[in-house]
Amino acid sequence: YECLTCVDSVGKIITIANQKGGVGKTTTAVNLAACIAASERETLLVDADPHANATSGIGIQTPAEGRSTYELLVGDQSAAAIVQRSQMPYLSILPSHINLVGAEVELVAMDQRETRLRLALEPIRDRYDFILIDCPPSLGLLTLNALNAADSVLIPVQCEYYALEGLGQLLNTINMVKKRMNAKLDIEGVLMTMFDGRLRLSNQIVEEVRKYFGEKVFRSVIARNVRLSEAPSFGKPIILY
């Protein structure tokens, strides 16, 4: 939030990505979107994960028939037809559905398979101050679409032993996308999550990541919090729960 509000942000698209599971991508996407919306900025959350946890996390259990990011990517539905309002003012969502799991295979045979999300978002981009994209825990075509659509990528990193494992592969993918398909793509920042100040390991991981990424690491560090873990089961972001 400290970084996002200090720039001209009209229509800014931020992808939240890390191929490791359980690092806090969806928690970050849902709660960052909710907090930006609470500051009265029009915000769109795009759920590009077949698990659809970002969708349920803001209170939408089942998207309307044929209106999900699956149809957006492999069907003929427009983004405007799929967008749903959430329970919060200023916050909308492009919901996901388990059908999206098949998109990785179906996209392979399609034209413009890496840029379909970018093209789909373009007609509605000027309606929002921020568009946040929640990615699956992989570097497949869904994540590539999200990176191609984005102005920047926010990387959540868990304060655990294996935190840095795989980051090199993610950075290589980001550089590849920047070089070949999306020259404007930048790293928005690295967000340390699940921090436990009682553990020396957590502090060591934060130090290591800050040595590597420097000023790209956000000053804000997300601590482990029971309430934060409970909120999704109530279909609410943390500021409402």
Side-chain angles (χ1 to χ4, degrees), residues 3-235:
C3 178
L4 302 182
T5 56
C6 65
V7 294
D8 182 9
S9 57
V10 175
K12 184 168 186 178
I13 301 178
I14 302 171
T15 286
I16 299 170
N18 189 328
Q19 76 271 28
K20 288 182 69 66
V23 300
K25 288 187 297 296
T26 300
T27 299
T28 300
V30 168
N31 292 294
L32 183 56
C35 289
I36 295 174
S39 69
E40 299 186 356
R41 302 282 191 99
E42 283 292 344
T43 306
L44 176 65
L45 176 59
V46 180
D47 192 347
D49 186 348
H51 292 104
N53 290 330
T55 301
S56 62
I58 65 165
I60 297 174
Q61 294 303 321
T62 306
E65 182 68 27
R67 292 178 59 195
S68 72
T69 45
Y70 172 75
E71 286 78 19
L72 184 69
L73 289 173
V74 304
D76 56 1
Q77 285 279 20
S78 68
I82 295 172
V83 168
Q84 295 185 39
R85 275 287 184 182
S86 76
Q87 58 191 315
M88 285 189 67
Y90 299 97
L91 178 58
S92 300
I93 186 167
L94 280 172
S96 184
H97 189 276
I98 189 60
N99 289 345
L100 188 61
V101 75
E104 292 275 9
V105 176
E106 295 178 57
L107 284 168
V108 170
M110 292 185 169
D111 293 333
Q112 300 174 312
R113 62 187 182 186
E114 297 99 348
T115 58
R116 294 180 72 85
L117 183 58
R118 181 175 71 192
L119 296 172
L121 291 176
E122 200 59 41
I124 65 167
R125 181 171 180 168
D126 61 358
R127 302 181 189 180
Y128 301 97
D129 297 304
F130 290 98
I131 298 174
L132 304 184
I133 306 175
D134 183 33
C135 290
S138 71
L139 293 178
L141 281 170
L142 293 176
T143 298
L144 280 178
N145 265 271
L147 291 173
N148 270 309
D151 296 304
S152 61
V153 55
L154 191 157
I155 306 170
V157 176
Q158 186 179 7
C159 295
E160 297 287 353
Y161 182 74
Y162 293 112
L164 302 180
E165 188 177 81
L167 269 185
Q169 186 181 0
L170 175 61
L171 294 175
N172 287 339
T173 300
I174 292 170
N175 289 331
M176 180 271 290
V177 170
K178 186 171 184 176
K179 183 176 180 180
R180 299 182 183 178
M181 293 172 275
N182 184 6
K184 67 183 180 183
L185 184 64
D186 194 14
I187 294 178
E188 183 72 37
V190 177
L191 178 66
M192 304 306 302
T193 66
M194 305 181 195
F195 177 79
D196 188 340
R198 299 169 299 177
L199 302 179
R200 186 168 65 177
L201 176 62
S202 285
N203 290 285
Q204 288 175 338
I205 294 297
V206 172
E207 288 176 12
E208 286 298 315
V209 172
R210 284 192 168 136
K211 282 180 186 177
Y212 188 83
F213 287 101
E215 293 183 356
K216 285 294 185 182
V217 181
F218 289 108
R219 292 191 300 273
S220 301
V221 175
I222 310 303
R224 285 192 179 276
N225 185 295
V226 174
R227 294 285 186 175
L228 200 55
S229 301
E230 292 173 350
S233 65
F234 290 86

